[in-house]
Amino acid sequence: MGASRSSRAAQKAKTRTALVDAARALLEAGRQPTLQDIADHAGISRATSYRYYSDVTVLYQEAALSGVVSGVEALKAEIALARPEAWDERIELLVVRIVDMILAHEVLFRSYLHTHIIGEESKVRGKRRRDWLYESLAPDLAFLPTELAERVLHSLSLLTGVETVIVARDVCDLDDSGVRDLCRWTTRAILKAALEDAGLNVGGHPNTRAP
């Protein structure tokens, strides 16, 4: 009986994953699929799909979150391998790579934002970003006063979400290269301001290059 229960659980997990993957593929293709579209793409009956996801919006959320999480994990691995020597170059690389990730999965990020903007999870959505930035950047900002380091983290949080890409594209009419250059320039301006507020000239911290 235990083996049978385990097998059923594994099959449910497999079905759920197939539906999430199908929804993600259709969203990344720029579609707004119905539950029937997703079921057909996954090769699963609509009745079975409905038992798992009676609300297609919930499926959108899980598909978008799946793409976001996989993108962040891949980014973590990349940054760990390619860490420039200078602290400001490391921070700039992180910001640019995050922006690249968002641009590569823009449809998913926009869908994720849309489905969470009025949901209860909207209260914690941004906290994940802040916590991950703190984990990644805290060692490089340790030489700054705590309050100033926090301000840098808050400022960089503004640059590392799909909201930035939406403004850059929809308001400023920038292409991918323009979005990337704007975020790189803004990162340098933030770090330069942090050095000035800390009473340090450019070069006042080891391994610092001019913004």
Side-chain angles (χ1 to χ4, degrees):
M1 183 177 293
S4 177
R5 189 158 42 237
S6 176
S7 177
R8 286 198 300 272
Q11 181 58 46
K12 287 182 178 180
K14 183 178 179 181
T15 300
R16 189 177 298 275
T17 298
L19 289 169
V20 170
D21 288 347
R24 178 178 168 184
L26 292 173
L27 286 170
E28 286 186 321
R31 296 177 58 182
Q32 292 292 315
T34 63
L35 186 59
Q36 184 66 63
D37 293 332
I38 296 168
D40 290 345
H41 194 81
I44 297 171
S45 73
R46 188 183 188 283
T48 298
S49 302
Y50 189 83
R51 287 201 298 272
Y52 284 83
Y53 295 100
S54 58
D55 184 352
V56 73
T57 302
V58 175
L59 186 48
Y60 282 5
Q61 292 174 359
E62 292 199 19
L65 183 59
S66 169
V68 172
V69 170
S70 64
V72 168
E73 291 304 317
L75 182 59
K76 284 182 179 180
E78 179 185 350
I79 294 297
L81 289 174
R83 285 182 63 82
E85 182 179 354
W87 72 285
D88 52 338
E89 290 181 342
R90 289 193 293 270
I91 293 174
E92 183 181 319
L93 174 64
L94 179 67
V95 170
V96 171
R97 288 294 180 266
I98 291 174
V99 171
D100 283 341
M101 178 187 68
I102 295 170
L103 291 171
H105 303 284
E106 186 176 344
V107 173
L108 280 179
F109 275 91
R110 284 182 182 251
S111 295
Y112 186 58
L113 179 64
H114 174 73
T115 55
H116 284 76
I117 199 68
I118 59 173
E120 292 196 4
E121 193 175 342
S122 64
K123 297 177 181 178
V124 299
R125 175 175 53 85
K127 188 175 184 299
R128 296 193 187 106
R129 184 195 314 174
R130 186 191 66 193
D131 291 347
W132 185 66
L133 280 175
Y134 180 85
E135 176 187 338
S136 301
L137 300 180
D140 287 322
L141 298 175
F143 73 98
L144 293 173
T146 301
E147 183 176 347
L148 188 53
E150 285 286 331
R151 180 171 295 179
V152 171
L153 285 169
H154 293 164
S155 300
L156 294 177
S157 294
L158 297 174
L159 292 180
T160 50
V162 68
E163 306 91 341
T164 301
V165 172
I166 290 172
V167 171
R169 280 203 189 283
D170 299 355
V171 178
C172 303
D173 197 28
L174 298 177
D175 58 13
D176 285 7
S177 178
V179 174
R180 191 177 297 110
D181 287 346
L182 177 63
C183 291
R184 180 182 288 114
W185 183 89
T186 306
T187 299
R188 293 176 182 176
I190 290 169
L191 299 182
K192 181 179 180 182
L195 290 176
E196 291 174 350
D197 286 358
L200 298 171
N201 295 320
V202 174
H205 176 65
N207 297 324
T208 304
R209 63 179 173 80

